[in-house]
Each structure stands twice: as C-alpha cells, then as structure tokens.
Amino acid sequence: MAGILAWFWNERFWLPHNVTWADLQSTEEAAFPQAEDLYLAFPLAFCIFMIRLLFERFIAKPCALGLKVQANGPQKAQPNAILEKVFTAITKHPDEKRLEGLSKQLDWDVRSIQRWFRQRRNQEKPSTLTKFCESMWRFTFYLYIFTYGVRFLKKTPWLWNTRQCWNGYPYQPLLPDLHYYYIVELSFYWSLMFSQFIDIKRKDFGIMFTHHIVTVTLITFSYVTNLTRVGTLTLCLHDAADVVLEAAKMANYCKCQKLSDLLFLTFAIVFIVSRLGIYPLWILNTTLFELYEALGNFPALWIFNVLLVILQILHCFWSYLIIKAAYKAISKGKVAKDDRSDIESSSDEEETVPRSKTLHSTIATNGTSGANGTNGYLTGGTCSEEH
C-alpha cells in the first residue's frame, strides 16, 4: 500500500521542477496545506447534511408554509391494478403497441392511459414544498459561502493580480481563512455527492454528477499541491450565479412569477458573464499561461487544466440551455419551463378520471401545464449549482 501511495504521489508528476513534498511540510514559522487536513471534510460533510435536514425541517418548511407554498405533491393517478403492474414490473413508458393492447383490455382510450402513466410517474416526484426547502437551503449556504469568499478575497493581492497566485510558490503559507474556506467548500460538495441520490432528480443528473466529481477532484489536488490561491478565485466565481439561481427558484415556487422571471434573467446574465467571460479570461488564462510562465511545465499542470476545461465545456452546455430558456421568456413574455423540469407536462394534466372511447370522441379537453414558469431551472445545484 505504501508503495502504491508513493507511486501515486510522485513529486515529479504533481510538483514543478525542483519542488519536493518536503518543501510543503508545515514548520513552526509557517503552516502549509497537508493531505491529512482533507480527512476533516468527511465528518464535516456529514455535519453539513444533518444541518441541512434540520434547516429544511425547522426553518425552510415554516417559511414555505408562511408563504403559502403548495404542500401537496403532484396529482395521484387513479388506482388500477393492471396499469400498476405494467408500471412497476414492465415499463414506465409504454410504447404505442402496448398502449393499444391496454386500451382494448381496459376499454379506455389511449390518451387516458397515457395520462395515467404520466400522472403515475409524476406521483413519485417531490412536492413544491420539498423543492422550496431544498432551494432555500442551497440559497442560504451559497449566500453565506459567497459572502465569506468575497470578504476574504478582497484583502488578498491575487484577486486584483492573478500573477500573485504563483508569486513565491510553493512557499505560500496557508492562511486560516483560506483553510476554512477550502474545507467548508470541499465538505459541501462531498455532501452533494452523497445527497444527490436522494435529492430531486432532474434530466441533467449525469452532468451534475460529473460536475461534482470534477469539482471535488480539483479542490482536493489543488489543496494538496498548494495551488489554493487560484482555487479560491474559482470557487468564489462559481458561487456567484448559484445564489441568484436558488432565489429565482424559490420565487417560482411561491408563484411570484414576475420576481421569478426577473431573477432568472439576472441569473442568466450573471452566469454567462462569469462562466463564459470572466472564467476563461481570468481563471483559464492564469492556469494555462501565467502558471506555465512562472513555474514551467509539469504533468499535473495539464491534469488541472483538463479538469478546468471540462468545467468550461459544462458551462457552455448550461449556457445554451439558459439562452434557450431566456429566448422563450422574451418571446412569450414569461420564463418557460426549462429542459430540467421536475414534472412532466401535459395538455390534459387536470383530468383525473379516464373516459371511455365514446366519451373521448365527443368531449373536448382543457388543461394546464403540469409544470409552471421557471420550474426546474438549470443547475443544481443542481444545475445545483450549485458550479
């Protein structure tokens, strides 16, 4: 095991030329990041998760009820043993052939069966109250950590001059505020890694999972190799848009449509400016060029930059979704449901009782969308974002 660790943490891979792990050992005069520090993130991640449960139960839920957020979940499908058996044992999305067979077996029209399956799928979705509580927790955390990051960074020289990220490397002492900032951020993303399997599922679950893995990897390795200065810039930049996003989602769940639309458009501007403008011109510029000029070439440099470029690719993908939603908002006068909506929509969502084929041919339908306004949004969060 010791041999494997020695091979993995090879100095010539992770550190610039003429820098060794001994250079990063803490002394009485100065403290430096140590790999052992990161073990603290696991119990802290558990604590954050428990704080979240208490926050949602005793703070977010009363706030939601006070704002008259809908506590009931999606409309339940009418009990039917045959359809339930198909849903649980065969498929949740029956094809046309199976729908025709069920239609003959039950003497229901195909559209009513489609509606039943849609309602049954939505039945497993969380209520608006649950979604509000999750968003309020993320909003509170992002607001706190973003505010902390801004207060810390405005006192540092590398906020105003990114070349200061590499000045004096590796002999850059670990500041207590920087240590706290890093460990709390890492703990939060570890908590998201665990909780995303029980959180609200959205269509970009795989992309968000990739995002969390990349983020945790970057935070971990940048801390161990003492590349923390540029790490703090990256973390703070990513938190900026997430605050506005969660606020927009909360406004939407409270049915404050105008406020929700305004916040969403604000989020779109902040996200695109920060992720497609500042991030490549500020973060990628210093890691791809200034870092190379200051420290020379070493293998880990390219690993870090590949991970940072993967984040940029995700930024481009999410920006496309945001621009598409913003275009719908401008063209239709309100923010349309985005591609990550939690609830499936239907023109017949309000109808609950299946009608016979004869009735279906003579009665017109009037319904509403199963998901309103800005439901779902684009990160995570998780578009969160959460980054």
Side-chain angles (χ1 to χ4, degrees):
M1 186 65 181
I4 295 175
L5 289 175
W7 169 82
F8 182 81
W9 293 111
N10 187 293
E11 294 171 341
R12 299 284 58 81
F13 181 86
W14 291 104
L15 300 174
H17 185 61
N18 292 330
V19 178
T20 67
W21 292 119
D23 296 323
L24 298 178
Q25 288 297 315
S26 296
T27 64
E28 294 182 359
E29 291 77 20
F32 296 95
Q34 304 297 308
E36 296 78 15
D37 299 343
L38 299 178
Y39 294 137
L40 180 62
F42 294 103
L44 189 54
F46 177 76
C47 291
I48 289 176
F49 181 71
M50 296 306 297
I51 291 172
R52 170 191 170 172
L53 296 181
L54 294 173
F55 179 90
E56 291 184 356
R57 174 66 180 85
F58 296 105
I59 299 178
K61 186 175 180 180
C63 289
L65 295 177
L67 293 169
K68 302 188 184 305
V69 174
Q70 181 181 353
N72 296 328
Q75 195 173 52
K76 292 187 177 181
Q78 178 186 8
N80 186 288
I82 295 175
L83 295 180
E84 184 68 26
K85 184 177 180 180
V86 173
F87 182 87
T88 56
I90 302 176
T91 178
K92 296 181 180 181
H93 299 271
D95 56 24
E96 186 175 346
K97 183 177 179 181
R98 191 177 298 277
L99 287 172
E100 290 290 346
L102 290 170
S103 176
K104 294 177 182 179
Q105 184 178 359
L106 297 172
D107 192 31
W108 287 12
D109 59 273
V110 171
R111 195 167 185 179
S112 293
I113 296 174
Q114 289 175 322
R115 186 184 313 112
W116 188 95
F117 274 93
R118 185 163 46 249
Q119 291 176 344
R120 182 63 181 85
R121 290 191 296 268
N122 286 339
Q123 191 174 311
E124 299 180 346
K125 305 291 184 178
S127 66
T128 303
L129 176 65
T130 301
K131 292 185 286 186
F132 178 93
C133 291
E134 179 183 312
S135 289
M136 187 172 179
W137 158 250
R138 295 194 181 200
F139 169 79
T140 303
F141 178 84
Y142 286 133
L143 180 62
Y144 164 73
I145 203 66
F146 175 68
T147 303
Y148 183 92
V150 170
R151 291 181 60 189
F152 166 68
L153 285 171
K154 72 179 183 180
K155 299 179 292 184
T156 64
W158 60 87
L159 174 64
W160 316 107
N161 180 7
T162 53
R163 290 186 181 274
Q164 291 294 323
C165 291
W166 324 116
N167 187 32
Y169 182 86
Y171 307 106
Q172 298 172 343
L174 178 64
L175 303 175
D177 288 346
L178 190 152
H179 174 260
Y180 172 82
Y181 188 36
Y182 243 75
I183 295 299
V184 171
E185 286 274 22
L186 179 60
S187 301
F188 178 71
Y189 279 102
W190 271 122
S191 74
L192 289 183
M193 288 277 286
F194 301 140
S195 66
Q196 67 179 337
F197 296 100
I198 61 174
D199 283 342
I200 298 167
K201 298 295 189 300
R202 295 190 174 97
K203 292 181 180 179
D204 66 346
F205 174 84
I207 295 175
M208 285 305 301
F209 187 67
T210 301
H211 173 271
H212 295 336
I213 291 176
V214 171
T215 302
V216 167
T217 303
L218 278 170
I219 293 175
T220 300
F221 290 145
S222 64
Y223 184 85
V224 172
T225 55
N226 203 20
L227 299 173
T228 52
R229 291 186 175 184
V230 73
T232 57
L233 297 178
T234 306
L235 290 170
C236 191
L237 182 66
H238 280 77
D239 289 335
D242 293 329
V243 177
V244 188
L245 170 64
E246 299 303 333
K249 291 162 69 174
M250 287 192 296
N252 178 66
Y253 299 145
C254 293
K255 299 186 183 300
C256 299
Q257 191 63 50
K258 290 184 178 180
L259 177 61
S260 176
D261 292 347
L262 176 62
L263 288 171
F264 174 74
L265 293 176
T266 303
F267 159 73
I269 294 170
V270 173
F271 186 95
I272 292 171
V273 169
S274 61
R275 307 293 178 92
L276 298 189
I278 299 175
Y279 179 81
L281 296 177
W282 195 36
I283 303 298
L284 291 183
N285 176 67
T286 193
T287 59
L288 286 171
F289 303 109
E290 295 175 354
L291 172 57
Y292 180 81
E293 293 175 6
L295 304 178
N297 190 20
F298 57 101
L301 169 67
W302 301 106
I303 299 297
F304 289 129
N305 279 313
V306 165
L307 293 173
L308 290 170
V309 169
I310 289 174
L311 284 184
Q312 182 63 14
I313 293 172
L314 295 177
H315 297 162
C316 293
F317 172 75
W318 284 319
S319 295
Y320 162 74
L321 296 181
I322 292 170
I323 292 171
K324 185 168 70 170
Y327 173 77
K328 291 180 180 179
I330 295 171
S331 61
K332 297 183 178 180
K334 69 173 185 177
V335 176
K337 176 175 67 98
D338 71 56
D339 292 334
R340 292 182 58 216
S341 177
D342 314 304
I343 305 297
E344 300 177 61
S345 61
S346 165
S347 61
D348 306 288
E349 202 70 51
E350 288 184 344
E351 297 173 323
T352 58
V353 182
R355 300 162 299 177
S356 68
K357 297 176 186 177
T358 305
L359 287 173
H360 178 73
S361 62
T362 58
I363 299 177
T365 61
N366 285 309
T368 59
S369 173
N372 57 8
T374 48
N375 197 18
Y377 280 94
L378 302 162
T379 118
T382 286
C383 243
S384 282
E385 191 349 49
E386 321 36 50
H387 318 357

